[in-house]
Amino acid sequence: MLLTIAFLGLLVFIASTMGYKHVPKEAQIVSLFPRDGAKSVSREAAVVAWLDRPINEDSSRLGLLLRDQRGNSVNGQLEFGVDRRSIIFEPAKRLVPGKYVASVQGNAATDNSRSNLNTWTFSVPEKTSLEFGPGGSILLVIDEASEFASQYAEILRVEGLNNFETISIDKLTPQILEAHELVILSAGSVGSVAAGTISEWVKKNNGNLIAMEPVGPIAELAGVKNHGTEISDGYLQVDTSKAPGKGIVADSIQFHGESSRLELEKETRAIATLSSTASGSPRSPAVTLKPGTNGHGNVATYAFNLAKSTVLTRQGNPAWAGMERDGIAPIRPNDLFFGAGDRDYLDLAKAHIPQADEHLRLLSNLIGYMNQDNGPMPKFWYFPNFSKAVLVMSADDHGTDNGTATMFSRLNELSPDGCYVDQWECFRATSWLYPESGLAPDAAKSYTDLGFDIGAHVSTGCEDWDAKSLTLAFSQSMGEFRRKYRNLPPQTGNRLHCIAWSEWSTQASIERSWGIRMDMNYYYWPGAWIRERAGFMTGSGLPMRFSDSNGALINVYQQETHLVDEVFAGHPEAVELLLDRATGSEGFYGAFGTHFDFSTGFDAELIEIAIRNSIPMVSAKQLLDWTDARNASSLEPTNWLEGELSFTLDVDPSTHGMLKSMLPTNSLEGALTTIRNKGEAVDFVVETVKGVEYAIFDASSGTYVASYR
């Protein structure tokens, strides 16, 4: 049982003596959350002091005081962990941006080997909402009536199109439209004033528009008639014979949500079509394009909500949340896809295709194709150094004597001489540990100094959870871990023991409150369902932020665990096939999450395959740092005149020179001849990606000029 006391300001707790013997030595604080000096704390964070021993009668007056930067006490609730070795303060409201001072009051002593742990500070930063972009030529118009509309911002980021501005539909003006080249409208049902403003911009200013589920004036502008809902959770077939569909997967792929039946008017063509089954006859257009005059004023539409389909494809069926569907307790992420007598939410015949990613690549091709009148549009590549496949090496060490140390040592020994961790040249991995692991604290510190990633393997005891019990499980597991491993960096990744996932998005929200930003719980399993078919349960090989059930983005990346030892150990051919599809002509690129617990030798199999195929092996922390840095970088085409495109790149230094920019080699004015930066020619290589030929070059901050003749 937990003893909970609500309080205002100074928290004072009169400890219960029932069941506890006198311990003469004061309990010592061994670790804190948030860390002293932490600068990027979640607004939902709890404040925790972990102790080296249970609280007893000597701690008769023990509490925790949290003050804001003005010195005001923060209201909240005080709790003691199940083992009475932690003090947990949960603020009554979300923390506001600013600096905070926390202090433990009473008889808890400071560990003499550490500095002033009784009082510490941390900061909650003022951050721009995740749906807002850095600015640029694309305008994302958000309508709250459109489900998961914020996800369009994440879609543009993951596709390397970090040159967008976001605005609410009610703030749209002609002046804002005139400052942009292409608009993505999250809902095609808008008021008459907004519809008139957008129509005027398209017709008179030659603006390019992509509208989701158009009706009324927007449908008329797009050259389609909307006859209402037709298919739910069906399939999409892309016309791959010509741009913009050329290069996208030729097989049919799933979409989730409802679609409208669109009827094409003259001059409008179908980029993709809908069907109710994987091999069914086309029923109606899924994606349409009405060309403007002389390549100006193009209008494209989707018959379904692409953002909603992306979220549901990646996160599973929300109607199945909290259901034990595969008969194997506890409830796991795969239960959100497992049919249990109904049709599976994931068509396993399509599991080898990153279906969600292919939808996004079609949108990316469509944006570039429609916007040619404004010049070729640059974008960023997914992974460092133009890598097309990455293995995210991650272990769940359930208390082995030397599993983690053996793997880390092997990866370090096999790494190239003189390699740089920041450049992804060394082979690295993550291991989430139980405190009874045989890895000694000094060894753990040495490995993290070498760039390995170590954290707590949080556990609910393989039990389903609710928000409260999961919060306490994080406190308990992370506290046990910090008592043993006191000198390690903050934990930023997580895969819960048994992959328990009792609700649709709650775990991601709770993870964020504990500083976790890379989630690897979506686990491609069980073997009887998968049957060794390597692929994509979430339809994706790319880390993207979760959405909650209300459509808001959660600042935690979902990274699927694609390669699970229970399924693929002893089947290297399946792993090889997944990597071949990523690096070969199919272009099913991805960061592929892995799982091993040192019971099968799967880690050694993966290491051998990765080295033989020159596939980077990185930790979850490295992938997180890269994704954040890539998303913090931006680009903006500034001018297109007489065959010359000038554009500016603002590249985050944490990309460590590994970010690659992509520029189409063809334009309406001719083929690319040179790229210059500060007057100097920039080297590039040419590669076709999803049907579009690009010049690939090192991205660094500055203004570039590309010449087409």
Side-chain angles (χ1 to χ4, degrees), residues 310-325:
T310 300
V311 173
L312 298 186
T313 300
R314 291 178 62 99
Q315 293 181 216
N317 187 354
W320 293 350
M323 295 184 184
E324 178 50 78
R325 300 185 63 83

Side-chain angles (χ1 to χ4, degrees), residues 25-313:
K25 185 179 179 182
E26 294 174 329
Q28 292 183 335
I29 300 169
V30 297
S31 191
L32 305 167
F33 182 85
R35 299 287 186 96
D36 186 24
K39 298 183 184 303
S40 188
V41 177
S42 168
R43 295 185 65 181
E44 286 78 21
V47 182
V48 183
W50 286 299
L51 310 175
D52 68 341
R53 67 195 65 246
I55 300 164
N56 57 74
E57 63 266 30
D58 280 55
S59 300
S60 59
R61 296 179 62 80
L62 187 60
L64 194 154
L65 176 65
L66 182 64
R67 294 188 183 276
D68 63 21
Q69 59 190 5
R70 295 181 178 179
N72 300 317
S73 298
V74 175
N75 298 342
Q77 181 170 284
L78 181 68
E79 298 182 319
F80 289 80
V82 175
D83 60 0
R84 299 180 64 84
R85 294 172 67 175
S86 58
I87 311 168
I88 308 166
F89 170 50
E90 297 187 26
K93 297 180 180 179
R94 300 175 73 208
L95 298 174
V96 300
K99 187 174 182 179
Y100 290 84
V101 178
S103 58
V104 173
Q105 308 289 313
N107 294 340
T110 301
D111 185 337
N112 292 331
S113 66
R114 302 174 66 79
S115 60
N116 194 26
L117 280 178
N118 289 74
T119 299
W120 71 103
T121 63
F122 62 87
S123 299
V124 176
E126 184 75 61
K127 288 189 175 182
T128 303
S129 175
L130 294 173
E131 68 187 30
F132 290 104
S137 57
I138 298 173
L139 181 64
L140 174 57
V141 181
I142 296 293
D143 187 339
E144 292 183 359
S146 176
E147 292 181 281
F148 300 104
S150 296
Q151 190 70 16
Y152 287 109
E154 195 68 3
I155 287 171
L156 291 172
R157 289 188 190 100
V158 81
E159 279 302 304
L161 292 166
N162 208 0
N163 57 329
F164 67 96
E165 181 180 353
T166 310
I167 192 170
S168 173
I169 185 67
D170 59 354
K171 300 290 176 50
L172 189 65
T173 66
Q175 293 74 25
I176 291 173
L177 283 172
E178 288 170 10
H180 297 85
E181 299 169 357
L182 182 140
V183 166
I184 298 175
L185 187 59
S186 71
S189 174
V190 298
S192 59
V193 174
T197 300
I198 292 169
S199 297
E200 186 85 357
W201 173 73
V202 169
K203 293 175 181 178
K204 293 190 176 180
N205 293 81
N206 296 316
N208 299 308
L209 172 68
I210 301 175
M212 305 295 158
E213 303 177 283
V215 297
I218 301 298
E220 182 179 347
L221 184 67
V224 299
K225 292 181 179 179
N226 191 326
H227 296 286
T229 302
E230 180 178 39
I231 298 172
S232 297
D233 295 333
Y235 291 79
L236 175 143
Q237 183 83 52
V238 178
D239 178 3
T240 60
S241 65
K242 54 183 176 294
K246 186 177 180 180
I248 304 301
V249 64
D251 293 342
S252 62
I253 54 177
Q254 292 178 271
F255 75 91
H256 288 294
E258 302 75 32
S259 69
S260 299
R261 183 169 71 86
L262 302 182
E263 178 186 345
L264 299 180
E265 297 185 345
K266 62 179 181 179
E267 298 181 358
T268 303
R269 71 178 173 104
I271 304 299
T273 53
L274 297 168
S275 62
S276 56
T277 63
S279 57
S281 299
R283 294 266 292 271
S284 63
V287 185
T288 71
L289 176 62
K290 180 183 178 181
T293 304
N294 298 323
H296 304 284
N298 305 292
V299 183
T301 66
Y302 276 71
F304 60 97
N305 183 337
L306 177 62
K308 180 179 180 179
S309 178
T310 300
V311 173
L312 298 186
T313 300

Side-chain angles (χ1 to χ4, degrees), residues 64 122 145 302 393 453 478 489 502 561 569 573 623 667:
L64 194 154
F122 62 87
Y302 276 71
M393 302 290 284
D453 179 32
M478 294 178 77
S502 302
T561 297
E573 70 286 349
L623 182 63
S667 76

